[in-house]
Amino acid sequence: MANIKFNLTVDSMFDFCEVLEAIGIDSVTEEFSKEDLEAFKNEDAGSVGMTVIMKISKFIVRKLPCVKDELYKFLAGCAEWEDGTPVSVEDIRKMKITQFVKIIRDFLKTEGVMDFFGGAVELPDTEQPDSKSSATNDTAIPMDI
C-alpha cells in the first residue's frame, strides 16, 4: 500500500468547506458539546485534538454515503502519492477500505487541520451586533487609483 501525503492550501480549506456543507455544517457542530467548544476557545487546539479527531472521524464515517463524491474530489485535490504524483478521484474510488480509512485519519492529523477547526469554532465570536461597529459598504472610503 503506497503512502499518500497531503498538501493543504487555502484552496483545500474551501474545498473542505464544500464537504462540510454537503454533510450539513449544523450537523457537525451538533457533534461537539459546549465543553468541547469552550476547550477550543480556551486551550491550544492540539490539547483537545484527539477528542476532536475521534468525534470527527466517527461523524464522517456515519455520513460517508451522503458525501462520497465531494469527499473523493476533496481528497484527490489535496493529496499526492509519496512519489509526488497527484491522487485521482478514480484512485480513491478503487482504494481498499483499510487504505481509505488510513488516509481519512492521516488527513485529520495533518498540520493545520486542527487550526482550521479551532478557527471555525472562533468565528461566531467575530460577529458584529450592529453595522456601527463593523466595516460595511456604506462606511468604505473610495480611493482614487
Side-chain angles (χ1 to χ4, degrees):
M1 171 171 30
N3 287 324
I4 289 177
K5 60 183 178 176
F6 291 97
N7 181 20
L8 299 176
T9 63
V10 172
D11 278 346
S12 303
M13 178 190 66
F14 289 109
D15 293 341
F16 190 63
C17 287
E18 286 182 29
V19 174
L20 293 177
E21 183 65 28
I23 289 171
I25 194 70
D26 294 334
S27 299
V28 173
T29 58
E30 290 170 7
E31 292 296 308
F32 298 97
S33 68
K34 184 177 180 180
E35 292 78 24
D36 293 332
L37 298 177
E38 287 299 319
F40 264 131
K41 292 178 185 178
N42 299 327
E43 298 176 26
D44 174 25
S47 65
V48 292
M50 193 48 114
T51 300
V52 172
I53 289 171
M54 295 304 294
K55 286 184 177 192
I56 292 175
S57 297
K58 179 180 163 187
F59 179 79
I60 288 175
V61 168
R62 254 191 359 254
K63 297 290 188 166
L64 281 177
C66 303
V67 297
K68 178 175 74 170
D69 294 333
E70 291 87 351
L71 190 57
Y72 289 167
K73 179 183 165 195
F74 166 72
L75 291 171
C78 65
E80 58 186 37
W81 297 106
E82 57 193 343
D83 67 1
T85 59
V87 174
S88 71
V89 168
E90 197 57 32
D91 291 336
I92 294 172
R93 287 184 201 276
K94 293 181 178 182
M95 283 182 181
K96 296 197 180 288
I97 292 171
T98 54
Q99 186 177 17
F100 183 76
V101 170
K102 180 186 180 308
I103 68 165
I104 295 294
R105 278 192 211 130
D106 289 349
F107 164 72
L108 292 170
K109 292 178 184 176
T110 301
E111 182 180 347
V113 172
M114 289 299 106
D115 292 335
F116 168 76
F117 286 111
V121 168
E122 291 174 1
L123 283 177
D125 286 344
T126 62
E127 292 179 12
Q128 299 293 328
D130 59 41
S131 65
K132 292 178 184 174
S133 60
S134 64
T136 61
N137 288 338
D138 61 330
T139 62
I141 300 170
M143 300 184 71
D144 293 329
I145 296 178

